[in-house]
Amino acid sequence: MTSIPIRRALLSVSDKTGIIDLGQALARHGVELVSTGGTAKALRDAGLDVRDISNLTGFPEMMDGRVKTLHPKVHGGLLAVRDDPAHVASMAEHDIGAIDLVIVNLYPFAQTVAKGADRPEIIENIDIGGPSMVRSAAKNHAFVAVVTDPSDYTALISEMDSSGGATTIELRKRLAARAFAATAAYDGMIASWFGFADQGEAFPETLPITLKRSASLRYGENPHQSAAFYSATGPHAKGIGQARQVQGKELSYNNLNDADAALELIAEFRDAAPSVVIVKHANPCGVASAATLEEAYAAAFACDTVSAFGGIIALNRRLDEATARAISGIFTEVVVAPDADEAALAIFAAKKNLRLLLTGDLPDAARTGLQAKSITGGWLVQTRDNGATPELKVVTKRAPTPAELADCRFAWTVAKHVKSNAIVYAKDGSTAGIGAGQMNRLESARIAAWKAKDAADKAGWTTPRTIGSAVASDAFFPFADGLLAAVEAGATAIIQPGGSIRDDEVIAAADEAGLAMVFTGMRHFRH
């Protein structure tokens, strides 16, 4: 049968959003309502006639409600194949009535974990009867409809209204798919909690990844690729996926990827002076901190005025009018900020294609978590690169001045977010030149210096900002040639991880050039 009339419905929900309207719609079609505990009370309080589950099963709810729906009269009514004579005979023999509709959403496990509940409360919020009913109903979707999300109530009511109280196989198949996805996500969250939080495993033997589609995107990295955005279903840090889009066209795959890169970098400056990050193709092309956001934007923009066109901008402060006006001077794809004042919103309103995302806060750059990347036949999983700048070791005869040391730390923070091989020159709290994604470190150093000279030529400066700058390398210099390129560009201080078999050679070259160099003992590859 493709169309099944609904005569009996079982309702048991933790989230009671819309349940009264649904109950009234079902009653309007003459559906018998069977319910449990708090759901039954809510329906009765609304004046609806409800049959208790214990009346259906002939068995009382017990053990604080743990045992109420785990009964043959429930699961027999859900799993029976209605056109199988043997199943029909068993139903008659054991007085099992058919259940045509199940409305269930599960105990709030994720919310319980997120609020910091203790272990007994978390365990108590592992639903058993709910998933069992959902799976039974979804398996038998040829005859039974199952709804696990209140957002689907409208579609169910609409179909019943248009078909005399029945459901079609098309709707039941769609609802069954959503139901199995819901139980898979639910079990995945529980398994993750047991593995990570309860057992303290860094990498559990099985890693459930449960995601929910938040948006279908116009295309992927290229127009011939399809794409969608999925957000994590369990507790997670707020980020681009949870930001409020105030204006502009819908976000593309590349917009989301680049905006995430910008947000991750600006998060490093969450507690710093007003700071601005400009990102292009997931690499920073300009970063600066200053007394005001407007000044920080001007310094970041000056680092690479060409790449900034069509870029992504992230701020660590509330967007103000002056900064919004400055940003509006060129085409910008996306601006990410914790908030924006009314004057800034008014300025951006004239830029219809500019997307403005307000995050409400910036994520903690030091937070823990895992990162995953798909490869052929599997996934690579690692912990986040949340390593803070460790205690620095001076390895040259000359130690850096306080100003050089500050620039070293700034350049090192930015280099952490530049695709390897990464070289970052910085001076007075802003980037001077950035070399990214080259196959050797020497070329990155040369490209960064060339970009700094080009920026100086465009700005009309007498010298590039690499003169007197600090330079950061995301990994050690395997040879002295990369360091010498930095010397040629005018750098006076270097920060790098160290650890090369030629460290002595590199240190000697730095001493000969009169440089100050510090080792971090930590690298920041980003592929």
Side-chain angles (χ1 to χ4, degrees):
M1 296 177 64
T2 60
S3 185
I4 302 291
I6 297 177
R7 298 187 176 91
R8 174 181 290 165
L10 197 162
L11 302 88
S12 181
V13 295
S14 293
D15 179 1
K16 295 178 175 55
T17 302
I19 196 65
I20 303 304
D21 291 339
L22 176 61
Q24 291 170 340
L26 295 174
R28 189 172 68 247
H29 286 285
V31 178
E32 178 187 13
L33 306 182
V34 180
S35 190
T36 64
T39 307
K41 181 179 184 304
L43 294 170
R44 285 198 183 97
D45 288 347
L48 293 167
D49 187 18
V50 181
R51 182 180 181 185
D52 285 323
I53 191 72
S54 58
N55 180 267
L56 176 74
T57 62
F59 215 78
E61 294 188 29
M62 62 175 64
M63 301 177 185
D64 299 318
R66 286 189 171 198
V67 180
K68 52 191 174 188
T69 60
L70 298 170
H71 194 280
K73 286 199 173 183
V74 172
H75 289 274
L78 293 174
L79 287 166
V81 178
R82 313 290 172 79
D83 55 6
D84 184 322
H87 285 213
V88 174
S90 292
M91 293 175 73
E93 179 182 356
H94 299 288
D95 191 27
I96 296 174
I99 299 173
D100 310 303
L101 171 66
V102 170
I103 308 293
V104 169
N105 52 62
L106 309 177
Y107 291 175
F109 179 84
Q111 296 91 321
T112 304
V113 171
K115 75 178 185 179
D118 58 19
R119 192 176 191 278
E121 185 178 354
I122 290 171
I123 297 299
E124 199 59 34
N125 275 277
I126 298 176
D127 203 332
I128 302 300
S132 299
M133 288 190 293
V134 167
R135 289 175 59 82
S136 292
K139 176 178 180 177
N140 203 26
H141 62 268
F143 302 97
V144 182
V146 54
V147 180
T148 55
D149 191 324
S151 66
D152 288 322
Y153 293 171
T154 300
L156 174 67
I157 295 170
S158 177
E159 182 153 299
M160 291 180 66
D161 287 345
S162 63
S163 60
T167 60
T168 63
I169 185 61
E170 290 76 21
L171 177 65
R172 295 196 301 276
K173 285 167 63 175
R174 188 163 70 249
L175 292 174
R178 288 174 63 80
F180 278 119
T183 56
Y186 192 75
D187 285 341
M189 286 187 286
I190 294 170
S192 292
W193 177 82
F194 268 106
F196 292 114
D198 193 57
Q199 301 301 308
E201 297 178 282
F203 297 99
E205 182 177 356
T206 298
L207 178 62
I209 299 177
T210 55
L211 306 172
K212 185 177 179 63
R213 190 183 68 219
S214 297
S216 295
L217 306 176
R218 289 175 293 162
Y219 53 81
E221 283 186 284
N222 301 290
H224 66 274
Q225 295 173 266
S226 301
F229 170 64
Y230 286 80
S231 58
T233 55
H236 54 84
K238 290 184 178 180
I240 291 299
Q242 292 71 43
R244 179 169 65 94
Q245 184 171 353
V246 175
Q247 67 165 66
K249 299 185 296 184
E250 65 182 80
L251 293 161
S252 70
Y253 180 100
N254 292 328
N255 290 155
L256 289 164
N257 188 56
D258 290 350
D260 179 67
L263 181 64
E264 287 280 22
L265 177 47
I266 200 65
E268 302 276 1
F269 298 91
R270 186 169 67 166
D271 300 319
S275 302
V276 172
V277 167
I278 306 175
V279 163
K280 191 68 171 291
H281 294 177
N283 267 311
C285 56
V287 184
S289 297
T292 68
L293 275 182
E294 183 183 15
E295 292 171 334
Y297 171 73
F301 177 70
C303 181
D304 188 346
T305 58
V306 175
S307 299
F309 185 85
I312 310 291
I313 298 174
L315 320 171
N316 72 341
R317 293 283 194 280
R318 179 187 178 96
L319 177 65
D320 56 56
E321 180 180 7
T323 309
R325 197 175 300 282
I327 291 172
S328 296
I330 66 163
F331 169 61
T332 299
E333 288 275 8
V334 182
V335 174
V336 183
D339 202 353
D341 62 32
E342 291 301 320
L345 292 175
I347 291 170
F348 275 7
K351 297 281 186 177
K352 299 299 183 184
N353 291 332
L354 187 153
R355 294 92 157 175
L356 175 60
L357 302 179
L358 301 182
T359 62
D361 195 4
L362 297 179
D364 181 3
R367 71 188 185 280
T368 58
L370 296 181
Q371 294 175 317
K373 177 182 180 180
S374 64
I375 60 173
T376 306
W379 291 76
L380 293 172
V381 180
Q382 64 176 349
T383 57
R384 290 188 67 257
D385 182 4
N386 60 357
T389 304
E391 185 175 346
L392 303 179
K393 178 183 178 182
V394 178
V395 295
T396 48
K397 295 175 181 178
R398 183 173 77 81
T401 67
E404 287 176 327
L405 187 59
D407 284 337
C408 278
R409 291 184 180 278
F410 183 91
W412 180 250
T413 298
V414 176
K416 176 181 173 183
H417 294 265
V418 176
K419 296 292 190 294
S420 191
N421 289 306
I423 293 290
V424 177
Y425 295 91
K427 184 177 182 181
D428 298 331
S430 67
T431 52
I434 299 173
Q438 299 305 302
M439 288 67 74
N440 66 75
R441 203 158 300 280
L442 173 60
E443 292 304 316
S444 286
R446 287 172 171 168
I447 289 171
W450 174 84
K451 292 173 77 71
K453 184 178 184 305
D454 185 62
D457 291 343
K458 286 183 169 62
W461 301 331
T462 55
T463 58
R465 289 194 297 193
T466 50
I467 303 298
S469 68
V471 62
S473 174
D474 64 341
F476 61 66
F477 285 101
F479 303 97
D481 54 1
L483 179 141
L484 294 174
V487 171
E488 186 177 343
T492 60
I494 292 184
I495 182 170
Q496 60 137 319
S500 168
I501 60 173
R502 294 182 177 85
D503 273 351
D504 289 345
E505 175 187 325
V506 174
I507 293 170
D511 280 332
E512 185 176 348
L515 296 181
M517 185 161 64
V518 295
F519 281 2
T520 66
M522 174 189 293
R523 79 178 188 195
H524 286 303
F525 273 164
R526 181 174 290 257
H527 291 101

